[in-house]
Amino acid sequence: MLAKLQCWTRANPLMVLALAATAGILSVELGGLQCDGPGLMGAAALLLVAAFCWRRAWLLLPGCALVFAFIHATRTDETFRHPLRTVLLGADKPLPATIHGSLLPDFDTTTDGRDHALCKAWKIEIPAAGVVIKQEATLLVRLPKGVRFPGAGVFEISGGVYLPRASSNPGAFDAQEYALRNGRVARLDAEGLQRIHGKGEPLWCMFLEAAESCRRRISEQLTKDLEDDPETAAVIRAMALGVSAEADDEIEDAFRNSGTLHVFAVSGLHVGLLGVIALALMRQLGLRRGVSLWVTVGLVFVYAFITGWRPSSARAALMVAVFMGAPLADRESSLQNSLGLAALLLLGSDTHQLFMPGFQLSFGVLWLSVIGSAPMVQRLLPLTELDPFLPPQLANWRQRASSQARRWLVATLSVSTAAWLGSLPFILGHFQSVTPVAVIANCVLVPLSFLCLGATCLSLCASALHLSGAQIIFNNLNWALAKAMVASAAWFAGLPGANFHFQPNSAMANAPAIWRVLELPHGAAANHLRLADRHWLFDVGDETSFRRVLRPYLRSSGINAVTGVFLSHNDADHVGGIEAVITEFDQPRLFCSTQEPGAQDSSLTTLRRLSDATNGSILRRLRVDERFALSDDPHFKAEARLLYPSQQVQNARGDDRAMVVMLHLGPWRVLWMSDAGWNAEKTLSTSAADIRCDLLIRSQHEQDREVSAEFLLKATPRVIVCGSDAREPEVMLPESLIQHAKAQNIPLLDTWRHGSIELRMSADELHILPAKNQPQVVLKTRE
């Protein structure tokens, strides 16, 4: 084994150095290596000099590790430990600032129709904090309404500077960390823009604008004559050019759930396939090998350019160029060495790429595929050969065709299996997802992707030659292939056991009940109750919240099916995502009050639409005082009882008929209020209902800015948990609630300040765990 390892290291020295560089970066990231920059570089220089002077090649490994550790420490100082970030961490709202810097266009941000730009700032003045920062920083700038990107130059920009809000919901995308990993320290909402002079970075600005313009023109050509089917046209743009924002979410989900998302969006696969197509074309034209390789390298960089020079395509272009560069230098190509060199070049330019899923999948999957597929092919090779007793020259065409087909199938299955096994640790680590169907799905979708890319190339060639008829034929062929890919992805994703989610670290080992209050913006709400293997949702947020927060949270928790959903009232911010929940989480049972949907609710509202489409058959309407068992565990009984609204509540406003539920979870009483406001509180405080609770969970009625003191005194909550958003007055915490909590010494937690909140309930203790750095609250059962 040791001899094989030594042989491998001698054959792949660049890959060994890339692994050493990775170790150096991780040592700084995890805090295992703490040293100042000059110290790191001095130690690295000593090791490298010793390696060359005394010819000790093994000293190159720690030397390389220390070099990349220094680069990563420097890069981290420029982003995570930037002085601007330190100032903004203590601010709960944007701070007025004046910034001097150069602008570059940013075409990836597509929100609210406002143009965005990247500002490379060298002077940042924040009067409110009394600081002037002269350390360089990159900021994402949202330009004023109606202002287009003004072109390259140096500007004075005034506006509010802030950090993207860090996600506190498990499994959700963290915009703040993503921005920092991309070198963007903060964001700026620009209010004023004044050009100081016109220098800046004109060449790089022209490059980015030309790339975007080229991509738009090619997008128009590829979808010519496909205007009647914008959905499929969006799929073609996504697969060929990386324009995935326009594609339907359900189509993207089908590719994701079949383990073939790399086929849907521009990735290293597309760049590699383009290289194969280009080499085949060069061979047919009779060009020499060296010329063919140079042309192919040029084409993959042009492709990366027209796709907007995105990290995935630029990274893949570099990998292809490095691999094909060996023959041009009269060297034998080694895929592992080429991968190592490409990784060293990319990490040398930006060490934060190591922590991006795209980088990990590109290099990790390809490397493990190379290592794993060859042994599989070797073992299966006997299945592909002709009859050993039949001389090859006597085999007929059917026998030779059968042998070639078996060879193709064995090679494809081996590569697909090795790639799936190689991607498994990364997919599990980032998405807690397992897609066994990907092994077979890739055998179908990758060849279809190859044909689709070939049709794309032919369409563009026909367009360049002004052959409109041929262009339309190729576009329609591309349309048919795209439809086949979408149908195949949906079929594979729908197979039993095609995909599931797995979370090995479950907190259920020490808590029979766990309630999670998720942090959602703009007054939306979603709660999850876990009772052994049963999962209940109390509101689900709107469609956007479902996609960005609730679904990632459920998937990261290893939840593949939901038992039931309580829908508080017909408010899109609370129930707008229910149709997606029904589709993706095994048709859960739905519960609402007898007052839903309201008599005056529009036919376009969520609950009205559900009720009309199914004649109300999937909605179970609960009456006041009706009890419902949530678990059959005799040692930890759990049931829900509806307290409000009764038949007498006929208000048109949805918040005034929001459901109020008392949950008995073992010894704990949890009062779930949703958006129920003043009217509901007054009704409950004067009713005979027992509303005493240990825990009060509430959202904010949009029009009520007060809470009923009588209600709170009757409920006597020991802890209050609120969904809130301090950016919008309608859903901020009422001052009367804050004062009551202080007067009664009741812990008051809200999702804006404390993030998502987890409540772990056992037979004798209730642990309340805020996601953000706050001390946990522990309750004992009442005497």
Side-chain angles (χ1 to χ4, degrees):
M1 187 67 172
L2 182 59
K4 288 184 177 180
L5 181 61
Q6 290 175 339
C7 182
W8 178 81
T9 57
R10 285 193 294 269
N12 303 284
L14 294 176
M15 178 57 74
V16 176
L17 288 176
L19 293 175
T22 300
I25 295 169
L26 291 176
S27 66
V28 172
E29 183 72 19
L30 301 176
L33 183 63
Q34 297 181 351
C35 184
D36 60 349
L40 284 174
M41 281 307 296
L46 286 175
L47 288 170
L48 295 175
V49 169
F52 285 106
C53 290
W54 286 284
R55 298 183 181 277
R56 296 292 186 267
W58 62 270
L59 290 175
L60 291 173
L61 299 182
C64 179
L66 290 178
V67 168
F68 279 83
F70 168 75
I71 296 173
H72 187 59
T74 304
R75 182 69 170 161
T76 302
D77 287 339
E78 294 172 352
T79 51
F80 285 83
R81 292 192 284 268
H82 194 281
L84 175 61
R85 175 173 160 78
T86 304
V87 172
L88 296 177
L89 279 174
D92 58 357
K93 60 182 180 180
L95 298 179
T98 301
I99 293 175
H100 294 79
S102 59
L103 288 182
L104 289 171
D106 182 78
F107 300 106
D108 286 336
T109 311
T110 56
T111 56
D112 66 22
R114 291 171 66 172
D115 272 15
H116 290 72
L118 290 177
C119 177
K120 294 189 175 181
W122 58 80
K123 183 180 179 182
I124 304 169
E125 301 177 47
I126 307 178
V131 297
V132 177
I133 300 170
K134 295 188 177 181
Q135 181 176 329
E136 288 189 4
T138 300
L139 290 81
L140 179 64
V141 179
R142 186 166 66 162
L143 299 176
K145 290 182 180 179
V147 176
R148 314 306 296 178
F149 177 71
V154 176
F155 296 83
E156 179 181 281
I157 312 168
S158 59
V161 64
Y162 62 98
L163 296 177
R165 189 161 174 80
S167 173
S168 66
N169 300 301
F173 172 73
D174 193 330
Q176 188 175 126
E177 181 173 357
Y178 179 79
L180 289 167
R181 295 292 186 194
N182 280 283
R184 302 172 183 181
V185 177
R187 293 181 180 177
L188 177 72
D189 276 351
E191 298 173 358
L193 191 70
Q194 181 178 354
R195 185 185 293 271
I196 299 175
H197 57 78
K199 293 182 180 179
E201 300 178 72
L203 293 179
W204 187 241
C205 181
M206 289 173 58
F207 176 83
L208 293 175
E209 289 183 315
E212 182 65 16
S213 175
C214 187
R215 187 174 64 159
R216 288 176 179 170
R217 286 199 299 270
I218 290 177
S219 176
E220 293 173 0
Q221 297 302 319
L222 290 178
T223 55
K224 189 175 181 180
D225 198 48
L226 303 180
E227 292 81 7
D228 294 337
D229 190 355
E231 187 177 87
T232 306
V235 173
I236 292 172
R237 283 193 289 267
M239 290 189 294
L241 298 172
V243 188
S244 58
E246 302 173 6
D248 190 86
D249 292 335
E250 292 183 3
I251 293 176
E252 185 175 348
D253 290 341
F255 282 95
R256 178 184 292 106
N257 294 334
S258 62
T260 57
L261 190 60
H262 58 285
V263 170
F264 177 72
V266 170
S267 64
L269 171 70
H270 296 76
V271 177
L273 291 178
L274 180 66
V276 171
I277 293 171
L279 280 177
L281 180 61
M282 298 300 109
R283 189 179 298 114
Q284 292 298 319
L285 293 175
L287 297 179
R288 296 198 311 272
R289 185 166 181 257
V291 175
S292 299
L293 290 173
W294 276 114
V295 172
T296 302
V297 169
L299 284 174
V300 296
F301 275 104
V302 168
Y303 181 62
F305 168 77
I306 65 175
T307 57
W309 200 250
R310 280 159 172 73
S312 58
S313 54
R315 181 170 57 240
L318 178 62
M319 293 165 66
V320 171
V322 168
F323 179 72
M324 292 185 174
L328 292 174
D330 294 326
R331 299 284 183 180
E332 183 180 351
S333 292
S334 167
L335 186 54
Q336 293 193 61
N337 254 342
S338 299
L339 283 176
L341 178 57
L344 289 170
L345 292 173
L346 288 168
L347 293 176
S349 64
D350 183 6
T351 54
H352 282 309
Q353 289 199 47
L354 180 64
F355 305 97
M356 305 298 282
F359 180 92
Q360 296 173 14
L361 288 168
S362 293
F363 283 91
V365 173
L366 187 53
W367 181 38
L368 294 173
S369 298
V370 172
I371 295 174
S373 61
M376 292 185 194
V377 171
Q378 196 65 31
R379 287 181 176 274
L380 296 174
L381 201 58
L383 301 176
T384 69
E385 296 176 350
L386 293 168
D387 188 338
F389 297 102
L390 176 68
Q393 59 270 26
L394 298 181
N396 58 39
W397 69 270
R398 293 187 184 87
Q399 292 168 323
R400 288 194 295 271
S402 175
S403 175
Q404 291 296 325
R406 292 197 302 273
R407 284 179 181 272
W408 176 86
L409 181 61
V410 162
T412 303
L413 278 174
S414 298
V415 172
S416 182
T417 302
W420 178 72
L421 291 174
S423 67
L424 191 58
F426 302 106
I427 298 296
L428 270 176
H430 289 290
F431 310 111
Q432 294 77 46
S433 176
V434 181
T435 52
V437 75
V439 174
I440 304 299
N442 277 301
C443 294
V444 175
L445 282 148
V446 170
L448 284 174
S449 178
F450 179 81
L451 295 174
C452 194
L453 191 58
T456 296
C457 295
L458 292 173
S459 172
L460 294 178
C461 290
S463 173
L465 296 173
H466 301 288
L467 301 175
S468 299
Q471 180 186 358
I472 290 174
I473 291 173
F474 290 131
N475 282 351
N476 281 273
L477 174 61
N478 213 355
W479 172 87
L481 291 168
K483 296 286 279 187
M485 292 178 70
V486 172
S488 300
W491 186 80
F492 282 116
L495 291 177
N499 63 85
F500 56 91
H501 293 77
F502 177 69
Q503 174 54 269
N505 299 321
S506 173
M508 290 307 298
N510 56 10
I514 296 180
W515 186 293
R516 169 76 69 172
V517 181
L518 295 171
E519 178 194 1
L520 296 184
H522 314 307
N527 299 261
H528 169 235
L529 172 62
R530 185 172 199 160
L531 295 165
D533 59 347
R534 296 191 180 184
H535 301 277
W536 298 88
L537 297 178
F538 290 78
D539 282 346
V540 296
D542 59 13
E543 292 183 16
T544 301
S545 296
F546 170 79
R547 295 190 62 83
R548 294 182 179 177
V549 177
L550 182 59
R551 182 175 63 181
Y553 160 71
L554 294 174
R555 295 305 195 196
S556 69
S557 302
I559 298 170
N560 298 289
V562 171
T563 308
V565 184
F566 285 80
L567 303 169
S568 62
H569 61 302
N570 202 4
D571 183 339
D573 286 336
H574 289 250
V575 302
I578 186 58
E579 290 163 310
V581 172
I582 294 171
T583 301
E584 297 200 30
F585 289 94
D586 201 22
Q587 302 286 327
R589 290 174 286 173
L590 308 182
F591 301 88
C592 65
S593 75
T594 55
Q595 303 307 301
E596 297 296 346
Q600 299 183 29
D601 287 355
S602 165
S603 60
L604 300 178
T605 58
T606 303
L607 294 186
R608 173 66 67 187
R609 202 166 56 243
L610 272 178
S611 181
D612 293 345
T614 62
N615 295 320
S617 60
I618 67 171
L619 285 171
R620 175 174 171 180
R621 293 179 170 84
L622 301 177
R623 302 182 303 277
V624 169
D625 287 333
E626 186 171 352
R627 297 174 182 267
F628 185 81
L630 302 176
S631 172
D632 55 5
D633 183 356
H635 304 293
F636 195 90
K637 294 184 178 180
E639 70 171 16
R641 178 165 65 95
L642 184 71
L643 300 181
Y644 184 91
S646 64
Q647 292 285 351
Q648 287 71 36
V649 177
Q650 299 294 334
N651 297 53
R653 290 191 304 179
D655 282 6
D656 285 336
R657 59 175 192 267
M659 181 188 290
V660 178
V661 177
M662 176 66 76
L663 296 108
H664 299 267
L665 304 174
W668 306 103
R669 296 168 64 93
V670 178
L671 186 60
W672 178 60
M673 294 285 293
S674 183
D675 277 356
W678 181 268
N679 291 336
E681 292 168 357
K682 283 295 186 182
T683 300
L684 292 172
S685 63
T686 57
S687 71
D690 183 2
I691 61 173
R692 290 175 303 156
C693 61
D694 299 293
L695 182 67
L696 173 63
I697 300 176
R698 67 185 298 279
S699 302
Q700 183 58 39
H701 189 294
E702 287 190 356
Q703 298 186 17
D704 288 350
R705 296 306 307 150
E706 299 293 332
V707 295
S708 168
E710 295 84 357
F711 167 77
L712 292 174
L713 290 171
K714 183 178 179 180
T716 63
R718 300 169 66 189
V719 176
I720 302 174
V721 176
C722 302
S724 66
D725 190 335
R727 295 168 296 188
E728 300 184 16
E730 297 83 1
V731 290
M732 291 175 60
L733 290 185
E735 185 62 28
S736 56
L737 177 63
I738 297 173
Q739 295 304 322
H740 178 89
K742 286 182 179 179
Q744 300 295 323
N745 198 26
I746 300 172
L748 175 61
L749 294 87
D750 69 281
T751 54
W752 175 259
R753 290 184 299 131
H754 301 96
S756 72
I757 300 167
E758 182 178 82
L759 309 127
R760 296 186 184 180
M761 305 174 198
S762 63
D764 54 358
E765 287 186 339
L766 191 157
H767 291 255
I768 302 174
L769 310 170
K772 295 185 179 176
N773 298 323
Q774 299 288 337
Q776 64 173 293
V777 179
V778 181
L779 297 183
K780 300 287 186 180
T781 53
R782 296 179 191 260
E783 295 295 334

